[in-house]
């Protein structure tokens, strides 16, 4: 992965973490079940999901999977090109 791309994700993760740390004291979790409590829980869950997604990308968990998918794509492209060449060779032999 590009270093700049990872840097961008680090910045986004830090911004999301700062938003979470700023908002936690402002959110009310003491009123018990209700709309305010539900909003606070859902907001925190979304913030944690954003942070986790960026952390997942920064750590590079999917790099090996990405390499395998690229190899499969190249192989499929080679197969498709081979079939295309065979069909065009047959068509030129018929003419």
């Amino acid at each position: 992965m590009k270093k700049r791309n990872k840097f961008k994700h680090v910045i986004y993760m830090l911004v999301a973490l700062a938003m979470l740390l700023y908002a936690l004291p402002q959110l009310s979790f003491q009123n018990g079940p209700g709309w305010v409590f539900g909003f606070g829980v859902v907001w925190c869950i979304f913030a944690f999901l954003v942070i986790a997604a960026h952390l997942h990308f920064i750590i590079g968990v999917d790099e090996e999977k990405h390499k395998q998918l690229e190899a499969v794509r190249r192989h499929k492209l080679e197969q498709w090109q081979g079939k295309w060449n065979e069909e065009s060779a047959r068509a030129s032999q018929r003419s």
Side-chain angles (χ1 to χ4, degrees), residues 27-62:
L27 296 172
S28 174
F29 295 107
Q30 297 173 359
N31 294 341
W35 290 106
V36 175
F37 178 78
F39 173 80
V41 169
V42 170
W43 195 92
C44 288
I45 288 171
F46 280 131
F48 283 124
L49 283 174
V50 169
I51 292 167
H54 287 295
L55 189 60
H56 180 80
F57 185 83
I58 292 167
I59 293 173
V61 174
D62 286 337

Side-chain angles (χ1 to χ4, degrees), residues 3-95:
K3 196 170 197 171
R4 178 183 166 122
N5 202 12
K6 284 193 178 187
F7 179 73
K8 178 178 73 171
H9 284 281
V10 168
I11 295 297
Y12 291 158
M13 185 190 68
L14 290 176
V15 168
L17 187 60
M19 286 174 40
L20 180 67
L21 292 176
Y22 177 77
L24 276 177
Q26 309 295 326
L27 296 172
S28 174
F29 295 107
Q30 297 173 359
N31 294 341
W35 290 106
V36 175
F37 178 78
F39 173 80
V41 169
V42 170
W43 195 92
C44 288
I45 288 171
F46 280 131
F48 283 124
L49 283 174
V50 169
I51 292 167
H54 287 295
L55 189 60
H56 180 80
F57 185 83
I58 292 167
I59 293 173
V61 174
D62 286 337
E63 286 185 24
E64 184 63 32
K65 186 177 181 182
H66 181 70
K67 289 177 185 177
Q68 290 173 349
L69 287 174
E70 281 299 316
V72 169
R73 285 186 191 115
R74 278 195 303 273
H75 182 66
K76 284 185 178 184
L77 179 63
E78 290 170 2
Q79 284 180 336
W80 181 78
Q81 287 176 339
K83 287 180 183 179
W84 177 265
N85 290 338
E86 288 174 11
E87 289 178 13
S88 62
R90 281 189 226 146
S92 65
Q93 288 177 355
R94 289 186 217 155
S95 304

